[in-house]
Amino acid sequence: MRALLVVNPKATTTSGRTRDVLTHALRSDLKLEVAVTDYRGHARDLARQAVADGTVDLVVALGGDGTVNEVVNGLLSHGPGERVPRLAVVPGGSTNVFARALGLPNDPVEATGQLLDALDHRRERAVSLGKAMTEGLPDRWFTFTAGLGFDAGVVGRVEEQRRSGRKSTHALYVREALRHYVTEREHRRNGPVTLEIPGRAPQPGLVMTIVSNTSPWTFLGNRPVLPSPSASFETDLDVFGITRMTAFGTARTVRQILRPHTPSEQSRKADGPTGKHVVSYHDVRHFTLVSQEPAPFQVDGDHLGDRSRVSFTGVRRALRVIV
């Protein structure tokens, strides 16, 4: 099998040693080419070129969720199809939501061992993906989440901190979320976003809207965060929203999305958070988020600026992944 290993050397937990161990292990089973990214969007360009050349059967992404998202968007630059190479992921970021949602170990060496075993036994999985469309940007595929409003604002704050030299950690996200909560007093009470689903009445007044392609939405350390616990790679998209973020109501919702689930609850897809100001929908194929004023927009943890209108589509069996 011919493979391309795309390495993000700036990913949080990626090191030269990790890359060398992975490269050596993969070359025992694959005809491997290694490419190291050196600018934002490079992983996307490498994956797109691999599809265009038609010489690669598998693209392996070594990096965090941002690297994976770039690779996916390169692979699907012309849409899903049989000519699209398979994807494999070796986690190298701080959170690695997509890899962990697939059931991969969070340690890159352990994940490499599982990848080699999956290749040996020809294990793969067709997963659904989300697609976001907004004016002024190319259509963007996402693997696990997108958002318009409060959560995307937090992502934007974290990116500002990272540009100033701060390391991406879970503590940084929590700290910036608290700061954003304090500064966004007006929008906490009067959300500018409206959810429009074909065939349903519009849902206005949303402060925060989280679109999930799988569950968990993210992790806080080793604890999964579950606003839409029924979301999965076998269905279309889930939407979770809050119409008002009071101190008491927000604390209650945070406890609900962080609560540990028993095996029986997990097996029957336990219900998500509930409350007067909570809005949730499961397995929705098409919908649009419209904001009265430009609101922060993020895809797979990548802040894409402020947008007034974003349309979403769930695409089933969009990509084959080695697991």
Side-chain angles (χ1 to χ4, degrees):
M1 181 180 286
R2 302 161 300 176
L4 171 66
L5 172 62
V6 177
V7 181
N8 178 4
K10 296 182 179 180
T12 306
T13 60
T14 299
S15 66
R17 179 180 178 277
T18 300
R19 180 184 64 197
D20 292 343
V21 169
L22 176 60
T23 300
H24 179 75
L26 291 177
R27 278 192 169 140
S28 64
D29 287 359
L30 303 169
K31 183 179 179 181
L32 186 70
E33 177 185 351
V34 180
V36 179
T37 63
D38 55 20
Y39 59 85
R40 185 168 182 170
H42 195 185
R44 178 199 60 225
D45 295 343
L46 290 166
R48 180 190 293 134
Q49 190 60 49
V51 176
D53 292 344
T55 58
V56 171
D57 305 302
L58 171 69
V59 176
V60 183
L62 171 57
D65 288 308
T67 303
V68 174
N69 181 274
E70 285 192 14
V71 169
V72 167
N73 276 274
L75 290 174
L76 298 179
S77 55
H78 298 292
E82 289 299 318
R83 294 184 62 240
V84 175
R86 291 161 175 79
L87 170 71
V89 178
V90 177
S94 59
T95 308
N96 308 304
V97 179
F98 180 64
R100 293 164 79 177
L102 287 168
L104 296 174
N106 202 34
D107 177 79
V109 176
E110 291 180 18
T112 300
Q114 183 165 321
L115 169 58
L116 293 172
D117 185 71
L119 289 169
D120 188 49
H121 290 88
R122 300 182 179 273
R123 290 198 310 268
E124 65 177 60
R125 178 180 180 184
V127 301
S128 67
L129 296 173
K131 192 175 185 181
M133 297 147 281
T134 184
E135 185 176 355
L137 289 176
D139 293 352
R140 186 72 173 257
W141 294 91
F142 58 96
T143 63
F144 65 96
T145 192
L148 186 72
F150 184 90
D151 75 300
V154 174
V155 170
R157 282 175 171 264
V158 170
E159 287 197 3
E160 287 180 5
Q161 293 294 324
R162 294 185 68 181
R163 284 194 293 269
S164 66
R166 299 293 297 276
K167 185 177 180 180
S168 178
T169 63
H170 296 117
L172 177 61
Y173 274 92
V174 171
R175 185 162 55 249
E176 293 305 316
L178 291 173
R179 288 177 177 173
H180 197 53
Y181 180 84
V182 171
T183 58
E184 291 293 308
R185 292 184 179 180
E186 179 60 29
H187 284 169
R188 291 198 329 245
R189 295 189 296 268
N190 301 294
V193 177
T194 296
L195 169 63
E196 299 178 351
I197 300 176
R200 297 178 182 266
Q203 171 63 63
L206 293 166
V207 178
M208 176 171 68
T209 47
I210 294 173
V211 181
S212 292
N213 183 55
T214 188
S215 186
W217 166 51
T218 189
F219 290 85
L220 190 60
N222 289 322
R223 174 170 286 190
V225 184
L226 305 165
S228 299
S230 295
S232 81
F233 290 126
E234 281 71 47
T235 62
D236 290 318
L237 302 172
D238 281 30
V239 187
F240 169 82
I242 298 177
T243 57
R244 189 172 183 179
M245 296 182 72
T246 63
F248 176 79
T250 302
R252 180 177 183 268
T253 301
V254 168
R255 286 197 302 270
Q256 289 178 333
I257 67 177
L258 286 173
R259 68 184 179 187
H261 285 190
T262 66
S264 60
E265 283 180 316
Q266 291 173 343
S267 65
R268 69 172 185 265
K269 295 293 184 182
D271 293 335
T274 59
K276 180 179 179 181
H277 302 296
V278 171
V279 175
S280 62
Y281 294 91
H282 171 59
D283 196 12
V284 185
R285 179 156 296 182
H286 302 289
F287 59 93
T288 300
L289 296 175
V290 182
S291 182
Q292 297 172 4
E293 58 191 64
F297 171 50
Q298 67 89 12
V299 164
D300 279 351
D302 185 12
H303 187 262
L304 299 180
D306 293 350
R307 300 293 164 192
S308 297
R309 183 182 184 91
V310 186
S311 295
F312 296 89
T313 297
V315 181
R316 298 198 184 193
R317 302 182 65 82
L319 192 64
R320 293 169 297 170
V321 183
I322 304 297
V323 292

